[in-house]
Amino acid sequence: MSAANLRARVRAEMTEEIKNVARRHLATDGANLSLRAVARDLGMASSAVYRYFASRDELLTALIIDAYNEVGDAADRAAATQVMPLGKWLAAGHAVRDWALVNPHQWALIYGSPVPGYQAPQDTIGPATRVILLLGATLGDAYQRGLIPAREPISASFAQELAPIAETFQAGMPPHVVADTLAGFFQLCGAISAELFGQLNKSVDEDRRGFFEYQMRAAAAAAGLS
Amino acid sequence: MSAANLRARVRAEMTEEIKNVARRHLATDGANLSLRAVARDLGMASSAVYRYFASRDELLTALIIDAYNEVGDAADRAAATQVMPLGKWLAAGHAVRDWALVNPHQWALIYGSPVPGYQAPQDTIGPATRVILLLGATLGDAYQRGLIPAREPISASFAQELAPIAETFQAGMPPHVVADTLAGFFQLCGAISAELFGQLNKSVDEDRRGFFEYQMRAAAAAAGLS
DNA sequence: GATTTGCAAGAGCAGTGCTCTCGTTGTGGC
DNA sequence: GCCACAACGAGAGCACTGCTCTTGCAAATC
C-alpha cells in the first residue's frame, strides 16, 4: 500500500518540483521558458521531463492554471475581509494588483499577449473567470441591496448582446451592471498591465497604489457605486 | 550620382521588404518571429539579413516603432475629423481599436506583454506616447473650453505624484484631468487587449464595437466630459 | 585601372523542442 | 518469492533557431 503510493508520491513531488523550477526560470528569463534549462537545473535529462509534461505547452498550461487560481484565491480572500460591496470591490482590486506586482511574469502569462503558438485548452477557462465572477457578484450584491441607483435601461440590442455573459453571473442582474462589471475588470487589467509593462512613466512609481485606487473607485462610481 | 544612389535605394527597398515579410510572418506565426524563415521567404541566406538588422531584436524594434506610428497616425487622422472634444475622444478610441482589430499581432507587439529578452530602446518612447498625448490634448482642450465642470481638487500628494506626467501634457492642466486621461487610456488598452486576447466571452463578438464605445463614453464621463 | 567598401552565401557553433531506443527499477498478480 | 509489466531516466539524434566568421563577388571611389 505505502509501497504502492511511493511512485505516485514521488511523481507528484517531481511534478511540483518541475513547476517550481519553471516558475523560477519564468521570473528570471521571461516568458521564453526553456524545458532543457529546467531539466538541467533539476539535474535530469531533458527527455525525462516529458514523462511529466507531454510538451512545453502543457507545462505552460499547468503554470497558467496555477496562476489563475493564485490570483483568484488572493482576490477571494481580500474580498472576504470586507462586508460592504465597495469595500469588497476595492479590496479585490488591490489584491489582484499586489499579486501581479509580486509575480509580474505570471501576470504576463495570463493577462499579457498570448504565447505564440499556444492555444488555451478548456481546463483554463474555469480558473480564468474567477476574478471577473467575483467582481460581478460584488456589483450584483450591491444592486440587490439597493446600493446602485436606478438607471435608464440600456438599449435592447446592447442588453441582448450582453445576455450570454449575464447568464454566467447572478440571475436577474440588469445589463448595465453586467456592462459595468466588465468595464471595471478591463480597467483593472489595463491599469495593472500598463504599470507592469512600463507604459507608465518611470517617475511615478512613488504612490502608484493611490492612482490605482483612484481608477478602481472611478470604475465603481461609473457603475453607480460610491 | 544616380549610380551612387543605387546602393542606397536598393538598401532602403530591401529593408522595407524585410519588414514587410516579417510583418506577414508576425500575422501568421505569432510573436516568435524567425529570422531564418523571413530570409527563406525572401530567397536569401539568413546571414544576409544581418546586413540590414544587427539582430532579431533590432528588427522587432523597427516593427514596433512602425506600429506605434501607424496607430498614432490613425488616431490623429480620426480625431482631426471631429471638432468637439468628446467627438475627438471617441473617434480616436475607435480608430485605435479598428487598427488593433486589423493588426492584432502588431497590437500585441506594442501593448501586450513585452517580448522575453527584449529591452525597448530610447527610439521607441517617442512614438509610443503619441496616442496618450492625443487623448491628453483632447481632454485638456475640453477643460480650457470650459466643457469639463469644476471639481474639487485632488489631494496635494496625489497631484504632486502626477506632476511629472502633467508636464508632458499641456501646461496648466489640473491633476484630475491628467489622472482621467491616463485612466481613460488604460481603459482603452484593457478593453482592446481583452477583446483581442480572448478574455471576452466568444459569444459576444456581434457588436463589440458598441460595448467599446460604452466604455470610452464612461471614461469620458468620469473625466466630466459628456 | 587599382583599391576599398558593401553585400550575399555558406559553414559552423551553441542552443532549442521533441522523439526514439535502451537499460533499470518499482508494482501488482500468481 | 517470482515474474511479467508498466513507469522511468538517460542518451543519441533530428530539425530548427539566433548569430558569427570566412570567402568570393560586385559596386563605388580614387
Side-chain angles (χ1 to χ4, degrees), chain A residues 97-142:
Chain A
R97 177 174 171 272
D98 289 342
W99 182 88
L101 288 181
V102 175
N103 310 289
H105 291 92
Q106 297 188 57
W107 172 267
L109 208 56
I110 58 181
Y111 288 117
S113 39
V115 179
Y118 180 79
Q119 189 62 21
Q122 290 297 92
D123 314 1
T124 62
I125 64 171
T129 53
R130 285 183 53 183
V131 170
I132 192 164
L133 284 182
L134 170 65
L135 294 181
T138 304
L139 276 198
D141 179 43

mmCIF file of all heavy atoms in Angstrom, chain A residues 97-142:
data_model
loop_
_atom_site.group_PDB
_atom_site.id
_atom_site.type_symbol
_atom_site.label_atom_id
_atom_site.label_comp_id
_atom_site.label_asym_id
_atom_site.label_seq_id
_atom_site.Cartn_x
_atom_site.Cartn_y
_atom_site.Cartn_z
ATOM 1 N N ARG A 97 -3.792 43.446 -7.874
ATOM 2 C CA ARG A 97 -2.628 44.253 -8.203
ATOM 3 C C ARG A 97 -1.410 43.824 -7.378
ATOM 4 O O ARG A 97 -0.296 43.705 -7.921
ATOM 5 C CB ARG A 97 -2.927 45.730 -7.958
ATOM 6 C CG ARG A 97 -1.735 46.642 -8.197
ATOM 7 C CD ARG A 97 -2.107 48.100 -8.081
ATOM 8 N NE ARG A 97 -0.925 48.943 -8.112
ATOM 9 C CZ ARG A 97 -0.229 49.276 -7.036
ATOM 10 N NH1 ARG A 97 -0.580 48.814 -5.843
ATOM 11 N NH2 ARG A 97 0.837 50.053 -7.145
ATOM 12 N N ASP A 98 -1.622 43.598 -6.083
ATOM 13 C CA ASP A 98 -0.500 43.185 -5.243
ATOM 14 C C ASP A 98 0.109 41.877 -5.751
ATOM 15 O O ASP A 98 1.332 41.723 -5.814
ATOM 16 C CB ASP A 98 -0.967 43.031 -3.785
ATOM 17 C CG ASP A 98 -1.273 44.378 -3.155
ATOM 18 O OD1 ASP A 98 -0.817 45.398 -3.693
ATOM 19 O OD2 ASP A 98 -1.981 44.411 -2.126
ATOM 20 N N TRP A 99 -0.773 40.951 -6.098
ATOM 21 C CA TRP A 99 -0.270 39.667 -6.606
ATOM 22 C C TRP A 99 0.514 39.882 -7.893
ATOM 23 O O TRP A 99 1.584 39.279 -8.097
ATOM 24 C CB TRP A 99 -1.437 38.709 -6.844
ATOM 25 C CG TRP A 99 -0.994 37.368 -7.326
ATOM 26 C CD1 TRP A 99 -0.633 36.300 -6.559
ATOM 27 C CD2 TRP A 99 -0.836 36.950 -8.708
ATOM 28 N NE1 TRP A 99 -0.265 35.247 -7.372
ATOM 29 C CE2 TRP A 99 -0.378 35.624 -8.682
ATOM 30 C CE3 TRP A 99 -1.041 37.576 -9.925
ATOM 31 C CZ2 TRP A 99 -0.128 34.902 -9.847
ATOM 32 C CZ3 TRP A 99 -0.780 36.872 -11.095
ATOM 33 C CH2 TRP A 99 -0.331 35.550 -11.045
ATOM 34 N N ALA A 100 0.007 40.747 -8.757
ATOM 35 C CA ALA A 100 0.681 40.998 -10.035
ATOM 36 C C ALA A 100 2.044 41.651 -9.810
ATOM 37 O O ALA A 100 3.004 41.365 -10.529
ATOM 38 C CB ALA A 100 -0.179 41.883 -10.931
ATOM 39 N N LEU A 101 2.148 42.521 -8.814
ATOM 40 C CA LEU A 101 3.425 43.185 -8.561
ATOM 41 C C LEU A 101 4.453 42.187 -8.058
ATOM 42 O O LEU A 101 5.644 42.296 -8.365
ATOM 43 C CB LEU A 101 3.242 44.303 -7.527
ATOM 44 C CG LEU A 101 2.487 45.541 -8.022
ATOM 45 C CD1 LEU A 101 2.396 46.580 -6.914
ATOM 46 C CD2 LEU A 101 3.173 46.138 -9.242
ATOM 47 N N VAL A 102 4.000 41.197 -7.282
ATOM 48 C CA VAL A 102 4.920 40.184 -6.761
ATOM 49 C C VAL A 102 5.272 39.172 -7.856
ATOM 50 O O VAL A 102 6.387 38.674 -7.915
ATOM 51 C CB VAL A 102 4.299 39.476 -5.540
ATOM 52 C CG1 VAL A 102 5.199 38.343 -5.067
ATOM 53 C CG2 VAL A 102 4.073 40.479 -4.417
ATOM 54 N N ASN A 103 4.307 38.876 -8.715
ATOM 55 C CA ASN A 103 4.523 37.855 -9.749
ATOM 56 C C ASN A 103 4.279 38.433 -11.140
ATOM 57 O O ASN A 103 3.347 38.021 -11.832
ATOM 58 C CB ASN A 103 3.585 36.663 -9.516
ATOM 59 C CG ASN A 103 3.643 36.165 -8.090
ATOM 60 O OD1 ASN A 103 4.625 35.575 -7.682
ATOM 61 N ND2 ASN A 103 2.587 36.414 -7.335
ATOM 62 N N PRO A 104 5.111 39.370 -11.552
ATOM 63 C CA PRO A 104 4.827 40.044 -12.834
ATOM 64 C C PRO A 104 4.839 39.098 -14.028
ATOM 65 O O PRO A 104 4.045 39.263 -14.944
ATOM 66 C CB PRO A 104 5.948 41.082 -12.936
ATOM 67 C CG PRO A 104 7.022 40.579 -12.040
ATOM 68 C CD PRO A 104 6.336 39.858 -10.924
ATOM 69 N N HIS A 105 5.755 38.127 -14.011
ATOM 70 C CA HIS A 105 5.832 37.245 -15.181
ATOM 71 C C HIS A 105 4.635 36.301 -15.251
ATOM 72 O O HIS A 105 4.210 35.919 -16.330
ATOM 73 C CB HIS A 105 7.133 36.464 -15.159
ATOM 74 C CG HIS A 105 8.328 37.323 -15.398
ATOM 75 N ND1 HIS A 105 9.037 37.898 -14.373
ATOM 76 C CD2 HIS A 105 8.922 37.751 -16.534
ATOM 77 C CE1 HIS A 105 10.020 38.624 -14.877
ATOM 78 N NE2 HIS A 105 9.976 38.555 -16.183
ATOM 79 N N GLN A 106 4.123 35.935 -14.092
ATOM 80 C CA GLN A 106 2.924 35.091 -14.126
ATOM 81 C C GLN A 106 1.721 35.914 -14.555
ATOM 82 O O GLN A 106 0.815 35.407 -15.226
ATOM 83 C CB GLN A 106 2.702 34.446 -12.760
ATOM 84 C CG GLN A 106 3.841 33.532 -12.371
ATOM 85 C CD GLN A 106 3.542 32.731 -11.118
ATOM 86 O OE1 GLN A 106 2.560 32.000 -11.047
ATOM 87 N NE2 GLN A 106 4.382 32.875 -10.113
ATOM 88 N N TRP A 107 1.704 37.196 -14.169
ATOM 89 C CA TRP A 107 0.642 38.074 -14.667
ATOM 90 C C TRP A 107 0.712 38.171 -16.192
ATOM 91 O O TRP A 107 -0.305 38.057 -16.881
ATOM 92 C CB TRP A 107 0.762 39.475 -14.052
ATOM 93 C CG TRP A 107 -0.172 40.460 -14.668
ATOM 94 C CD1 TRP A 107 0.079 41.304 -15.715
ATOM 95 C CD2 TRP A 107 -1.533 40.690 -14.303
ATOM 96 N NE1 TRP A 107 -1.035 42.047 -16.008
ATOM 97 C CE2 TRP A 107 -2.041 41.681 -15.166
ATOM 98 C CE3 TRP A 107 -2.384 40.143 -13.318
ATOM 99 C CZ2 TRP A 107 -3.348 42.147 -15.075
ATOM 100 C CZ3 TRP A 107 -3.692 40.613 -13.233
ATOM 101 C CH2 TRP A 107 -4.153 41.601 -14.099
ATOM 102 N N ALA A 108 1.923 38.355 -16.716
ATOM 103 C CA ALA A 108 2.078 38.436 -18.167
ATOM 104 C C ALA A 108 1.619 37.145 -18.824
ATOM 105 O O ALA A 108 1.065 37.153 -19.923
ATOM 106 C CB ALA A 108 3.537 38.713 -18.524
ATOM 107 N N LEU A 109 1.840 36.046 -18.140
ATOM 108 C CA LEU A 109 1.452 34.745 -18.689
ATOM 109 C C LEU A 109 -0.056 34.652 -18.876
ATOM 110 O O LEU A 109 -0.540 34.091 -19.864
ATOM 111 C CB LEU A 109 1.929 33.646 -17.736
ATOM 112 C CG LEU A 109 2.235 32.276 -18.314
ATOM 113 C CD1 LEU A 109 3.267 32.357 -19.417
ATOM 114 C CD2 LEU A 109 2.705 31.339 -17.204
ATOM 115 N N ILE A 110 -0.813 35.204 -17.935
ATOM 116 C CA ILE A 110 -2.262 35.014 -18.016
ATOM 117 C C ILE A 110 -2.989 36.214 -18.595
ATOM 118 O O ILE A 110 -4.013 36.053 -19.249
ATOM 119 C CB ILE A 110 -2.862 34.663 -16.629
ATOM 120 C CG1 ILE A 110 -2.551 35.738 -15.600
ATOM 121 C CG2 ILE A 110 -2.351 33.326 -16.175
ATOM 122 C CD1 ILE A 110 -3.100 35.412 -14.217
ATOM 123 N N TYR A 111 -2.469 37.429 -18.418
ATOM 124 C CA TYR A 111 -3.188 38.591 -18.922
ATOM 125 C C TYR A 111 -2.410 39.377 -19.975
ATOM 126 O O TYR A 111 -2.903 40.383 -20.471
ATOM 127 C CB TYR A 111 -3.587 39.517 -17.774
ATOM 128 C CG TYR A 111 -4.696 38.964 -16.934
ATOM 129 C CD1 TYR A 111 -4.511 38.663 -15.591
ATOM 130 C CD2 TYR A 111 -5.936 38.689 -17.499
ATOM 131 C CE1 TYR A 111 -5.535 38.133 -14.812
ATOM 132 C CE2 TYR A 111 -6.963 38.161 -16.738
ATOM 133 C CZ TYR A 111 -6.757 37.897 -15.406
ATOM 134 O OH TYR A 111 -7.776 37.370 -14.651
ATOM 135 N N GLY A 112 -1.210 38.929 -20.309
ATOM 136 C CA GLY A 112 -0.472 39.572 -21.378
ATOM 137 C C GLY A 112 -0.873 38.996 -22.710
ATOM 138 O O GLY A 112 -1.858 38.263 -22.812
ATOM 139 N N SER A 113 -0.116 39.341 -23.746
ATOM 140 C CA SER A 113 -0.418 38.765 -25.045
ATOM 141 C C SER A 113 -0.163 37.261 -24.983
ATOM 142 O O SER A 113 0.753 36.804 -24.306
ATOM 143 C CB SER A 113 0.445 39.410 -26.123
ATOM 144 O OG SER A 113 1.748 39.633 -25.648
ATOM 145 N N PRO A 114 -0.984 36.497 -25.673
ATOM 146 C CA PRO A 114 -0.858 35.050 -25.585
ATOM 147 C C PRO A 114 0.469 34.564 -26.126
ATOM 148 O O PRO A 114 1.043 35.162 -27.020
ATOM 149 C CB PRO A 114 -2.021 34.541 -26.448
ATOM 150 C CG PRO A 114 -2.479 35.700 -27.238
ATOM 151 C CD PRO A 114 -2.064 36.935 -26.528
ATOM 152 N N VAL A 115 0.961 33.481 -25.548
ATOM 153 C CA VAL A 115 2.218 32.898 -26.006
ATOM 154 C C VAL A 115 2.040 32.426 -27.449
ATOM 155 O O VAL A 115 1.011 31.830 -27.789
ATOM 156 C CB VAL A 115 2.627 31.723 -25.102
ATOM 157 C CG1 VAL A 115 3.930 31.107 -25.588
ATOM 158 C CG2 VAL A 115 2.762 32.189 -23.665
ATOM 159 N N PRO A 116 3.038 32.713 -28.286
ATOM 160 C CA PRO A 116 2.964 32.486 -29.729
ATOM 161 C C PRO A 116 2.080 31.340 -30.201
ATOM 162 O O PRO A 116 0.946 31.563 -30.583
ATOM 163 C CB PRO A 116 4.426 32.245 -30.077
ATOM 164 C CG PRO A 116 5.157 33.131 -29.154
ATOM 165 C CD PRO A 116 4.341 33.232 -27.900
ATOM 166 N N GLY A 117 2.587 30.137 -30.160
ATOM 167 C CA GLY A 117 1.820 29.050 -30.737
ATOM 168 C C GLY A 117 0.793 28.473 -29.781
ATOM 169 O O GLY A 117 0.096 27.512 -30.097
ATOM 170 N N TYR A 118 0.686 29.106 -28.615
ATOM 171 C CA TYR A 118 -0.097 28.489 -27.552
ATOM 172 C C TYR A 118 -1.601 28.654 -27.736
ATOM 173 O O TYR A 118 -2.082 29.747 -28.021
ATOM 174 C CB TYR A 118 0.325 29.091 -26.219
ATOM 175 C CG TYR A 118 -0.420 28.544 -25.028
ATOM 176 C CD1 TYR A 118 -0.072 27.310 -24.501
ATOM 177 C CD2 TYR A 118 -1.470 29.242 -24.454
ATOM 178 C CE1 TYR A 118 -0.755 26.796 -23.421
ATOM 179 C CE2 TYR A 118 -2.155 28.729 -23.379
ATOM 180 C CZ TYR A 118 -1.793 27.515 -22.859
ATOM 181 O OH TYR A 118 -2.471 27.006 -21.795
ATOM 182 N N GLN A 119 -2.323 27.591 -27.602
ATOM 183 C CA GLN A 119 -3.779 27.650 -27.651
ATOM 184 C C GLN A 119 -4.331 27.166 -26.306
ATOM 185 O O GLN A 119 -4.106 26.034 -25.910
ATOM 186 C CB GLN A 119 -4.303 26.775 -28.794
ATOM 187 C CG GLN A 119 -5.788 26.928 -29.064
ATOM 188 C CD GLN A 119 -6.142 28.355 -29.498
ATOM 189 O OE1 GLN A 119 -5.278 29.085 -29.956
ATOM 190 N NE2 GLN A 119 -7.401 28.724 -29.348
ATOM 191 N N ALA A 120 -5.039 28.042 -25.626
ATOM 192 C CA ALA A 120 -5.521 27.724 -24.281
ATOM 193 C C ALA A 120 -6.540 26.580 -24.333
ATOM 194 O O ALA A 120 -7.536 26.670 -25.046
ATOM 195 C CB ALA A 120 -6.147 28.950 -23.651
ATOM 196 N N PRO A 121 -6.297 25.509 -23.607
ATOM 197 C CA PRO A 121 -7.246 24.403 -23.552
ATOM 198 C C PRO A 121 -8.428 24.728 -22.652
ATOM 199 O O PRO A 121 -8.440 25.750 -21.958
ATOM 200 C CB PRO A 121 -6.410 23.262 -22.980
ATOM 201 C CG PRO A 121 -5.363 23.933 -22.167
ATOM 202 C CD PRO A 121 -5.106 25.259 -22.798
ATOM 203 N N GLN A 122 -9.406 23.870 -22.669
ATOM 204 C CA GLN A 122 -10.637 24.094 -21.913
ATOM 205 C C GLN A 122 -10.380 24.206 -20.405
ATOM 206 O O GLN A 122 -11.112 24.907 -19.708
ATOM 207 C CB GLN A 122 -11.623 22.946 -22.172
ATOM 208 C CG GLN A 122 -12.227 22.931 -23.576
ATOM 209 C CD GLN A 122 -13.056 24.165 -23.865
ATOM 210 O OE1 GLN A 122 -12.546 25.150 -24.403
ATOM 211 N NE2 GLN A 122 -14.315 24.145 -23.489
ATOM 212 N N ASP A 123 -9.339 23.508 -19.926
ATOM 213 C CA ASP A 123 -9.088 23.476 -18.482
ATOM 214 C C ASP A 123 -8.865 24.861 -17.896
ATOM 215 O O ASP A 123 -9.016 25.063 -16.691
ATOM 216 C CB ASP A 123 -7.840 22.614 -18.186
ATOM 217 C CG ASP A 123 -7.862 21.308 -18.956
ATOM 218 O OD1 ASP A 123 -8.827 21.096 -19.707
ATOM 219 O OD2 ASP A 123 -6.923 20.524 -18.793
ATOM 220 N N THR A 124 -8.481 25.797 -18.741
ATOM 221 C CA THR A 124 -8.097 27.096 -18.189
ATOM 222 C C THR A 124 -9.276 28.042 -18.021
ATOM 223 O O THR A 124 -9.188 28.991 -17.241
ATOM 224 C CB THR A 124 -7.064 27.789 -19.100
ATOM 225 O OG1 THR A 124 -7.674 28.022 -20.367
ATOM 226 C CG2 THR A 124 -5.833 26.937 -19.281
ATOM 227 N N ILE A 125 -10.394 27.801 -18.742
ATOM 228 C CA ILE A 125 -11.438 28.822 -18.734
ATOM 229 C C ILE A 125 -12.136 28.895 -17.376
ATOM 230 O O ILE A 125 -12.605 29.951 -16.986
ATOM 231 C CB ILE A 125 -12.464 28.596 -19.863
ATOM 232 C CG1 ILE A 125 -13.213 27.280 -19.656
ATOM 233 C CG2 ILE A 125 -11.798 28.634 -21.205
ATOM 234 C CD1 ILE A 125 -14.381 27.099 -20.600
ATOM 235 N N GLY A 126 -12.174 27.788 -16.651
ATOM 236 C CA GLY A 126 -12.775 27.826 -15.319
ATOM 237 C C GLY A 126 -12.017 28.759 -14.396
ATOM 238 O O GLY A 126 -12.546 29.789 -13.971
ATOM 239 N N PRO A 127 -10.742 28.449 -14.087
ATOM 240 C CA PRO A 127 -9.972 29.336 -13.214
ATOM 241 C C PRO A 127 -9.853 30.754 -13.769
ATOM 242 O O PRO A 127 -9.737 31.712 -13.000
ATOM 243 C CB PRO A 127 -8.592 28.658 -13.170
ATOM 244 C CG PRO A 127 -8.854 27.233 -13.516
ATOM 245 C CD PRO A 127 -10.016 27.230 -14.444
ATOM 246 N N ALA A 128 -9.893 30.897 -15.105
ATOM 247 C CA ALA A 128 -9.662 32.209 -15.695
ATOM 248 C C ALA A 128 -10.762 33.203 -15.351
ATOM 249 O O ALA A 128 -10.527 34.408 -15.287
ATOM 250 C CB ALA A 128 -9.541 32.080 -17.218
ATOM 251 N N THR A 129 -11.964 32.703 -15.106
ATOM 252 C CA THR A 129 -13.091 33.617 -14.928
ATOM 253 C C THR A 129 -13.348 33.943 -13.460
ATOM 254 O O THR A 129 -14.318 34.642 -13.154
ATOM 255 C CB THR A 129 -14.358 33.005 -15.540
ATOM 256 O OG1 THR A 129 -14.550 31.699 -15.006
ATOM 257 C CG2 THR A 129 -14.251 32.931 -17.054
ATOM 258 N N ARG A 130 -12.489 33.447 -12.567
ATOM 259 C CA ARG A 130 -12.783 33.607 -11.142
ATOM 260 C C ARG A 130 -12.844 35.061 -10.712
ATOM 261 O O ARG A 130 -13.764 35.475 -9.991
ATOM 262 C CB ARG A 130 -11.746 32.846 -10.312
ATOM 263 C CG ARG A 130 -11.971 31.345 -10.336
ATOM 264 C CD ARG A 130 -10.977 30.629 -9.465
ATOM 265 N NE ARG A 130 -10.953 31.158 -8.104
ATOM 266 C CZ ARG A 130 -10.119 30.721 -7.170
ATOM 267 N NH1 ARG A 130 -9.236 29.786 -7.456
ATOM 268 N NH2 ARG A 130 -10.147 31.246 -5.970
ATOM 269 N N VAL A 131 -11.865 35.855 -11.122
ATOM 270 C CA VAL A 131 -11.813 37.250 -10.667
ATOM 271 C C VAL A 131 -13.010 38.033 -11.188
ATOM 272 O O VAL A 131 -13.669 38.773 -10.444
ATOM 273 C CB VAL A 131 -10.493 37.918 -11.113
ATOM 274 C CG1 VAL A 131 -10.546 39.416 -10.871
ATOM 275 C CG2 VAL A 131 -9.314 37.307 -10.377
ATOM 276 N N ILE A 132 -13.309 37.850 -12.477
ATOM 277 C CA ILE A 132 -14.409 38.626 -13.049
ATOM 278 C C ILE A 132 -15.743 38.187 -12.449
ATOM 279 O O ILE A 132 -16.650 39.007 -12.260
ATOM 280 C CB ILE A 132 -14.404 38.514 -14.587
ATOM 281 C CG1 ILE A 132 -15.356 39.543 -15.184
ATOM 282 C CG2 ILE A 132 -14.742 37.137 -15.075
ATOM 283 C CD1 ILE A 132 -15.133 39.778 -16.650
ATOM 284 N N LEU A 133 -15.850 36.914 -12.096
ATOM 285 C CA LEU A 133 -17.078 36.455 -11.452
ATOM 286 C C LEU A 133 -17.216 37.078 -10.063
ATOM 287 O O LEU A 133 -18.320 37.435 -9.634
ATOM 288 C CB LEU A 133 -17.102 34.928 -11.351
ATOM 289 C CG LEU A 133 -17.426 34.201 -12.667
ATOM 290 C CD1 LEU A 133 -17.482 32.689 -12.444
ATOM 291 C CD2 LEU A 133 -18.740 34.698 -13.241
ATOM 292 N N LEU A 134 -16.075 37.190 -9.377
ATOM 293 C CA LEU A 134 -16.108 37.830 -8.063
ATOM 294 C C LEU A 134 -16.562 39.283 -8.169
ATOM 295 O O LEU A 134 -17.413 39.745 -7.398
ATOM 296 C CB LEU A 134 -14.726 37.751 -7.415
ATOM 297 C CG LEU A 134 -14.523 38.566 -6.139
ATOM 298 C CD1 LEU A 134 -15.411 38.052 -5.027
ATOM 299 C CD2 LEU A 134 -13.063 38.562 -5.713
ATOM 300 N N LEU A 135 -16.013 39.995 -9.142
ATOM 301 C CA LEU A 135 -16.409 41.390 -9.330
ATOM 302 C C LEU A 135 -17.894 41.481 -9.686
ATOM 303 O O LEU A 135 -18.622 42.350 -9.173
ATOM 304 C CB LEU A 135 -15.563 42.029 -10.431
ATOM 305 C CG LEU A 135 -14.067 42.194 -10.135
ATOM 306 C CD1 LEU A 135 -13.350 42.864 -11.295
ATOM 307 C CD2 LEU A 135 -13.853 42.996 -8.851
ATOM 308 N N GLY A 136 -18.345 40.571 -10.553
ATOM 309 C CA GLY A 136 -19.757 40.570 -10.927
ATOM 310 C C GLY A 136 -20.660 40.288 -9.738
ATOM 311 O O GLY A 136 -21.700 40.943 -9.556
ATOM 312 N N ALA A 137 -20.247 39.341 -8.915
ATOM 313 C CA ALA A 137 -21.045 39.021 -7.733
ATOM 314 C C ALA A 137 -21.101 40.212 -6.791
ATOM 315 O O ALA A 137 -22.133 40.488 -6.161
ATOM 316 C CB ALA A 137 -20.460 37.795 -7.039
ATOM 317 N N THR A 138 -19.990 40.936 -6.691
ATOM 318 C CA THR A 138 -19.941 42.093 -5.799
ATOM 319 C C THR A 138 -20.899 43.185 -6.257
ATOM 320 O O THR A 138 -21.693 43.716 -5.467
ATOM 321 C CB THR A 138 -18.509 42.642 -5.741
ATOM 322 O OG1 THR A 138 -17.627 41.604 -5.348
ATOM 323 C CG2 THR A 138 -18.419 43.790 -4.764
ATOM 324 N N LEU A 139 -20.836 43.510 -7.554
ATOM 325 C CA LEU A 139 -21.742 44.539 -8.077
ATOM 326 C C LEU A 139 -23.187 44.046 -8.031
ATOM 327 O O LEU A 139 -24.108 44.827 -7.736
ATOM 328 C CB LEU A 139 -21.352 44.917 -9.497
ATOM 329 C CG LEU A 139 -20.258 45.967 -9.682
ATOM 330 C CD1 LEU A 139 -20.291 46.536 -11.094
ATOM 331 C CD2 LEU A 139 -20.394 47.091 -8.666
ATOM 332 N N GLY A 140 -23.385 42.756 -8.323
ATOM 333 C CA GLY A 140 -24.742 42.206 -8.271
ATOM 334 C C GLY A 140 -25.318 42.284 -6.861
ATOM 335 O O GLY A 140 -26.493 42.628 -6.664
ATOM 336 N N ASP A 141 -24.479 42.003 -5.889
ATOM 337 C CA ASP A 141 -24.901 42.110 -4.488
ATOM 338 C C ASP A 141 -25.278 43.547 -4.152
ATOM 339 O O ASP A 141 -26.297 43.809 -3.497
ATOM 340 C CB ASP A 141 -23.765 41.616 -3.586
ATOM 341 C CG ASP A 141 -24.138 41.722 -2.117
ATOM 342 O OD1 ASP A 141 -25.287 41.371 -1.789
ATOM 343 O OD2 ASP A 141 -23.278 42.142 -1.314
ATOM 344 N N ALA A 142 -24.441 44.470 -4.604
ATOM 345 C CA ALA A 142 -24.733 45.884 -4.366
ATOM 346 C C ALA A 142 -26.060 46.285 -4.998
ATOM 347 O O ALA A 142 -26.840 47.051 -4.414
ATOM 348 C CB ALA A 142 -23.595 46.750 -4.916
#
